[in-house]
Amino acid sequence: MPKSFERHAQELVVSSDAPADQIDVSNGYDFIAEISRLLSNTYDSIDRLETLTQRSHGIDLTVSELNLIEVVGRKTLHKDATIGMSELARTLDIRVPSATAAVNRLVKRGYVQKKRDPEDARRVNVVLTRKGEKVFRLHAVFNRRMAQEVSDGLSVSERRVLLDGIRRLEHFYAKAQQSQREYLKKMSVSKGGRG
């Protein structure tokens, strides 16, 4: 009787720490199981390392708070640009009241400041404080080192393949998130919620 994919994948996860050139990429089960194992382990390792790095630098932020700081830093740091609550919410894919609440928490903890836009007093811009800049830079260095480690020694064509694979992964997650949002909205509406 043939093994189920799940059982085959479990056996590979337990036994597979084989170098990449020893994985039979022509075998669909082995290839997919190895990708699954690597992605899962990589996600867990990134999460643990970021937590350890934050602790070692006295940073007490959640992943979503780090993401907010990263968005503000990328948009505004050393640039003649601003980011308001609406753009911040849109970039983070959250609602404006949620973005406002998150920004207010980070203001209280000294990571960001809110400033009225000099050209439009109704608009509130968000900027990093020195403490926020420190976190942003630390996070940027971590990401840059990770990217260098992954791409070191790759040819130009291999770099293109790597980028294509990561973009496909990003696209998969974006589609899956959208699908889940639509499902939750549909469920909420069917239960009499607002959606």
Side-chain angles (χ1 to χ4, degrees):
M1 175 185 256
K3 293 181 216 175
S4 72
F5 175 76
E6 288 80 14
R7 182 173 174 121
H8 186 73
Q10 285 174 343
E11 289 172 3
L12 285 169
V13 167
V14 170
S15 66
S16 183
D17 274 328
D21 62 349
Q22 292 181 11
I23 301 296
D24 181 3
V25 296
S26 66
N27 179 320
Y29 287 130
D30 290 354
F31 181 68
I32 289 171
E34 182 65 3
I35 287 177
S36 179
R37 182 189 73 79
L38 288 169
L39 289 174
S40 179
N41 287 350
T42 300
Y43 176 82
D44 290 344
S45 294
I46 290 170
D47 190 45
R48 282 192 302 270
L49 181 58
E50 284 203 350
T51 300
L52 290 170
T53 303
Q54 286 180 33
R55 281 188 194 152
S56 70
H57 287 84
I59 299 168
D60 58 342
L61 296 168
T62 65
V63 171
S64 59
E65 289 168 336
L66 263 176
N67 288 340
L68 188 148
I69 288 172
E70 185 176 0
V71 167
V72 173
R74 272 187 290 146
K75 177 70 177 184
T76 65
L77 202 58
H78 305 299
K79 297 177 183 175
D80 190 25
T82 60
I83 188 164
M85 291 294 180
S86 296
E87 184 180 356
L88 186 59
R90 200 170 35 257
T91 304
L92 292 169
D93 198 21
I94 59 176
R95 294 183 176 169
V96 173
S98 298
T100 302
V103 165
N104 288 340
R105 283 191 303 274
L106 290 174
V107 166
K108 286 180 186 172
R109 292 165 58 202
Y111 290 101
V112 298
Q113 288 180 321
K114 294 192 299 187
K115 293 186 174 186
R116 287 274 172 209
D117 191 304
E119 296 174 16
D120 183 353
R122 297 169 298 171
R123 180 182 156 103
V124 175
N125 294 322
V126 182
V127 296
L128 297 179
T129 61
R130 283 194 185 275
K131 188 175 177 181
E133 284 184 33
K134 176 185 169 193
V135 170
F136 174 75
R137 283 188 171 81
L138 185 66
H139 195 62
V141 166
F142 173 79
N143 286 336
R144 194 173 19 247
R145 283 184 182 161
M146 179 178 55
Q148 285 173 333
E149 180 67 27
V150 168
S151 62
D152 190 42
L154 296 181
S155 68
V156 172
S157 62
E158 290 170 328
R159 287 178 178 209
R160 285 191 183 108
V161 170
L162 176 63
L163 281 178
D164 184 52
I166 293 172
R167 282 189 182 114
R168 287 175 185 223
L169 187 62
E170 179 185 46
H171 180 73
F172 166 79
Y173 279 114
K175 274 179 46 180
Q177 286 176 13
Q178 183 61 34
S179 177
Q180 286 299 310
R181 271 191 222 94
E182 290 169 5
Y183 174 77
L184 290 171
K185 186 175 182 179
K186 183 177 165 185
M187 294 304 294
S188 176
V189 168
S190 72
K191 291 182 180 179
R194 290 180 4 187

